[in-house]
Amino acid sequence: TEPNLMARILIIDDEPQIRSMLRLMLERVGYEVIEAADGMEGIRQYRDNPADVIITDLIMPNKDGIGMIIELKKEFPQIKIIAMSGGGVNRPEGYLDGAKKLGASRTLTKPIDRDEMITAVKETLKENTPSAESPS
C-alpha cells in the first residue's frame, strides 16, 4: 500500500517523545512529517507549509488543540485533522467529542496504537472534503 504521493503530516503535541514516536511511525510508512510543540506554532507551521493532515493533541500550553482547530477551520475549511487526547484531568471523551463537533475527521485516545494511527491517517487522506461544508 503506497502512501498518497508522499503526503505531508503535521504533528502538534507538547510532548517531544510523543512527537518523535509519531514521526517515526509515519515516516516508516513513507509520509513526510513536520512538527509543532503547541497550537500557536501549529497554526504558523500550517500557514507556512500546509500539510495534508494535521494530527494534534488537544491539551497543550499557549493554544490548545480545540482553539487551534477552531482557528484553522475558519481559515482553511478543507483542512483534515485527527485529534488525540489522553484526557488530562477529565476523561478524553469530552475533549474528543468537542474536537469532532468542531470538524476533526478522526479522534484517537492516547496511548496511540500504531495500526490505529496509520489507518486513521490513510482514511483521512482518502476522504474527499466537499467544497461546501455538508451539514452533519
Side-chain angles (χ1 to χ4, degrees):
T1 51
E2 78 295 339
N4 311 29
L5 299 165
M6 284 300 294
R8 182 184 297 131
I9 315 289
L10 169 57
I11 297 170
I12 307 165
D13 197 305
D14 55 320
E15 296 179 58
Q17 66 275 25
I18 290 186
R19 289 201 309 273
S20 49
M21 174 199 75
L22 291 172
R23 169 189 282 275
L24 282 173
M25 199 187 274
L26 294 163
E27 284 179 342
R28 236 174 240 145
V29 291
Y31 296 114
E32 182 191 335
V33 177
I34 44 183
E35 297 179 29
D38 61 51
M40 291 302 288
E41 195 189 325
I43 290 169
R44 258 199 318 274
Q45 280 272 25
Y46 190 84
R47 285 183 184 137
D48 294 348
N49 199 355
D52 300 296
V53 176
I54 291 178
I55 298 171
T56 185
D57 190 21
L58 294 178
I59 305 165
M60 298 179 285
N62 300 331
K63 185 182 270 286
D64 67 7
I66 298 285
M68 186 201 65
I69 291 172
I70 293 169
E71 197 168 323
L72 282 175
K73 272 283 182 188
K74 207 175 291 171
E75 217 175 310
F76 309 97
Q78 310 297 351
I79 200 167
K80 294 178 176 187
I81 299 172
I82 297 172
M84 56 183 182
S85 179
V89 188
N90 302 312
R91 298 206 327 284
E93 292 78 34
Y95 291 104
L96 292 171
D97 287 349
K100 198 107 183 147
K101 286 193 183 82
L102 294 167
S105 312
R106 302 262 179 304
T107 56
L108 298 171
T109 311
K110 287 178 172 177
I112 297 298
D113 173 77
R114 182 190 170 278
D115 294 340
E116 220 180 317
M117 175 56 84
I118 303 236
T119 302
V121 169
K122 277 189 183 143
E123 287 174 358
T124 304
L125 282 167
K126 268 201 287 261
E127 280 165 16
N128 289 333
T129 324
S131 45
E133 287 292 297
S134 51
S136 43

